[in-house]
Amino acid sequence: MVEVDPARLDRWIHGFTQRHGVPERSPGTDPAAVPLVLSAPDGALAEVLAWSAEVVELPPRLGLVLLRRGGYAVGLAEGEQLTDHYCGTRYVQSRTAAGGWSQQRFARRRGNQADALAERVVQQGADRLLDPRGPRVDGLVVGGDKALVRQVLDDPLLARLAELPRREFHDIPDPRLKVLQDTLRRARATRIRITEPS
């Protein structure tokens, strides 16, 4: 699997052609998931994947919501530019090896800290990605801690965002501005699944 910047897609296809011969272009067996398949004469296949399960084309305006237990980032992007963003930190205690009452007390504290983090991200998301008429974005990019992301998107305030086409990146480090920019770049990339001839 490779991720190719949209501006470089034609150049990538040209390189694929040089390596494997002029490919035959056809829609995938499920055009909603794989809109284009390049079948090269030497047996190599390149399947261009849809942006998400819900939409083939890259949405023009993206909202980004990234969070881990140490921090969060919310951004609004038009094309490849972040037009609005906020990055913050919020301490959430890690697990403890203590047992008994201490363990339960630490678990409650950790839960309260995680709830406070999620509430903060919900508010930032509502402020930056919604207006009174609805979402200001056409697609949503989320990443980081799966449970925290789910908790944020389950909040009624963000229900309209949760319905948007979405891409997920759970392998990101603690969200900072650089991570937000890198995730936007990855979210905009065209994903191509390559099968080389044996």
Side-chain angles (χ1 to χ4, degrees):
M1 187 78 74
V2 296
E3 295 176 348
V4 180
D5 185 279
R8 292 183 51 240
L9 184 59
D10 287 342
R11 195 166 70 197
W12 187 91
I13 291 173
H14 178 72
F16 180 82
T17 300
Q18 287 185 320
R19 289 187 302 277
H20 300 286
V22 178
E24 179 183 322
R25 293 173 178 237
S26 62
T29 53
D30 179 4
V34 183
L36 176 65
V37 176
L38 303 174
S39 306
D42 69 353
L45 281 179
E47 298 173 289
V48 178
L49 305 180
W51 188 79
S52 76
E54 299 90 357
V55 64
V56 172
E57 297 290 329
L58 169 67
R61 296 173 304 164
L62 293 174
L64 296 97
V65 177
L66 312 177
L67 69 159
R68 288 208 169 278
R69 295 195 178 263
Y72 61 94
V74 176
L76 172 65
E78 298 263 355
E80 59 188 34
Q81 297 297 317
L82 277 174
T83 57
D84 189 10
H85 71 277
Y86 187 87
C87 302
T89 58
R90 180 70 60 130
Y91 177 72
V92 178
Q93 184 174 346
S94 58
R95 296 188 182 277
T96 180
W101 290 105
S102 292
Q103 185 174 15
Q104 293 171 8
R105 187 175 71 246
F106 286 130
R108 277 194 306 275
R109 184 180 302 151
R110 189 172 55 249
N112 291 339
Q113 291 167 344
D115 289 346
L117 170 62
E119 287 172 22
R120 180 73 177 140
V121 174
V122 166
Q123 194 56 56
Q124 289 293 330
D127 290 348
R128 285 173 168 69
L129 307 179
L130 294 172
D131 63 30
R133 293 167 299 169
R136 296 171 59 196
V137 295
D138 309 301
L140 185 64
V141 179
V142 298
D145 185 294
K146 287 183 184 181
L148 285 173
V149 167
R150 189 169 47 249
Q151 182 176 348
V152 165
L153 294 182
D154 284 346
D155 191 284
L157 195 57
L158 299 185
R160 293 173 294 173
L161 287 179
E163 297 168 357
L164 293 172
R166 178 167 59 212
R167 284 185 80 179
E168 301 183 3
F169 300 95
H170 295 292
D171 59 346
I172 62 164
D174 280 346
R176 300 290 183 266
L177 179 57
K178 172 111 172 62
V179 174
L180 192 64
Q181 292 166 332
D182 289 345
T183 305
L184 173 60
R185 181 189 50 74
R186 288 181 67 193
R188 289 180 43 75
T190 301
R191 293 175 301 161
I192 303 173
R193 183 170 50 220
I194 303 169
T195 308
E196 297 280 355
S198 47

